[in-house]
């Protein structure tokens, strides 16, 4: 196997996606290793989880910096110090400066809990419920200057159920996020993706897959015998 890509994970809170990436990277054949976890909040629960496991961590309190550029510069320096190849944003709640986004173009991933380009920005679960969609999900994409708009690496579909609240939908999508992010990072870290005209092309070599249907509704129609 070629050298594992070194990943810096940026968090601001709970860090459950970070945990999924850390756990995936423990497999000896995983194409990436976690070089450092940086939190924009010193009190982030995810940071404590990582510290308790002896992982390399850094708390950079964004409130202690003069502005966005200075904060981003400190993050950039830490990533370079730890010889990071790829960034994975995992619930990182700071908007990045254009300079930082440019420097890491094509090397920075984010996960968003909707099937982009639907429901960008804040409260995507509420947006999905308000729109009445029957399927939502999550998306891993490369970061670009426009929020939640970069080239899509992979998506997972999740049913929306009668009576869902933003919280219940979020819990269901989160389970899919924890599978999707390690999978998408592995695709990128193993060099199987390339960006062409703003879209991610993946070297799969496989035949066209079956279409996906609304899983819950399909079960109803087929009397539970799908
Ligand atoms: C996730 O839903 C992720 O998609 C979004 O923010 C949330 C972060 O959760 N960007 P966690 O901190 O990874 O648990």
């Amino acid at each position: 196997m070629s050298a594992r890509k070194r990943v810096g994970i940026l968090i601001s809170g709970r860090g459950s996606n970070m945990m999924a990436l850390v756990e995936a990277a423990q497999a000896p054949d995983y194409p990436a290793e976690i070089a450092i976890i940086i939190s924009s909040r010193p009190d982030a629960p995810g940071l404590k989880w990582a510290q308790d496991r002896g992982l390399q961590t850094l708390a950079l309190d964004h409130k202690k910096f003069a502005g966005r550029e200075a904060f981003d510069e400190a993050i950039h320096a830490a990533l370079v110090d730890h010889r990071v190849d790829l960034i994975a944003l995992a619930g990182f709640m700071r908007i990045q400066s254009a300079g930082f986004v440019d420097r890491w173009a094509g090397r920075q991933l984010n996960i968003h809990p909707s099937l982009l380009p639907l429901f960008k920005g804040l409260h995507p679960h509420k947006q999905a419920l308000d729109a009445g969609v029957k399927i939502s999900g999550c998306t891993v994409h490369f970061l670009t200057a426009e929020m939640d708009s970069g080239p899509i690496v992979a998506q997972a579909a999740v049913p929306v159920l009668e009576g869902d609240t933003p919280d219940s939908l979020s819990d269901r999508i989160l389970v899919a996020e924890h599978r999707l992010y390690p999978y998408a990072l592995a695709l990128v870290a193993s060099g199987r993706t390339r960006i062409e005209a703003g879209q991610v092309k993946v070297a799969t070599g496989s035949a066209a897959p079956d279409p996906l249907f609304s899983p819950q509704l399909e079960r109803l129609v087929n009397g539970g015998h799908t």
Side-chain angles (χ1 to χ4, degrees):
M1 191 175 73
S2 54
R4 303 170 95 198
K5 288 283 188 295
R6 293 176 60 79
V7 175
I9 305 180
L10 271 48
I11 65 168
S12 300
R14 174 177 61 179
S16 69
N17 278 290
M18 168 208 66
M19 294 172 199
L21 295 177
V22 165
E23 273 152 25
Q26 279 165 3
D29 59 346
Y30 195 75
E33 60 187 305
I34 309 307
I36 185 166
I37 291 152
I38 302 176
S39 175
S40 64
R41 295 186 44 172
D43 60 349
L47 184 65
K48 180 166 184 332
W49 182 91
Q51 285 164 342
D52 288 349
R53 274 151 195 81
L55 299 166
Q56 189 73 48
T57 61
L58 180 65
L60 286 175
D61 187 348
H62 65 92
K63 295 196 284 298
K64 300 219 165 101
F65 289 83
R68 201 181 295 290
E69 272 76 18
F71 177 63
D72 286 354
E73 197 51 54
I75 293 183
H76 180 77
L79 294 169
V80 170
D81 254 16
H82 289 83
R83 293 175 289 114
V84 162
D85 303 302
L86 292 169
I87 301 175
L89 301 183
F92 184 66
M93 297 306 285
R94 308 303 305 164
I95 304 260
Q96 298 176 338
S97 56
F100 187 94
V101 173
D102 268 5
R103 277 197 276 191
W104 290 92
R107 297 186 293 151
Q108 181 165 213
L109 295 172
N110 181 44
I111 186 158
H112 183 76
S114 75
L115 291 176
L116 291 173
L118 287 175
F119 316 137
K120 297 176 182 178
L122 291 177
H123 312 303
H125 309 101
K126 180 171 185 311
Q127 291 186 54
L129 293 177
D130 289 349
V133 295
K134 302 297 184 210
I135 296 182
S136 191
C138 46
T139 303
V140 174
H141 64 96
F142 282 105
L143 212 83
T144 53
E146 203 187 324
M147 190 195 273
D148 300 327
S149 298
I152 292 170
V153 178
Q155 296 184 302
V158 172
V160 179
L161 304 184
E162 294 294 320
D164 258 338
T165 62
D167 281 349
S168 65
L169 181 57
S170 165
D171 288 348
R172 192 173 312 115
I173 292 177
L174 200 61
V175 175
E177 291 185 46
H178 297 162
R179 285 180 59 198
L180 183 71
Y181 213 171
Y183 161 81
L185 177 62
L187 277 182
V188 173
S190 62
R192 277 177 288 169
T193 56
R194 61 180 199 287
I195 301 175
E196 247 179 56
Q199 296 191 359
V200 176
K201 304 293 175 196
V202 183
T204 57
S206 63
D210 293 335
L212 300 175
F213 294 98
S214 303
Q216 202 67 20
L217 303 186
E218 198 186 3
R219 227 171 280 152
L220 266 182
V221 172
N222 292 323
H225 300 298
T226 54

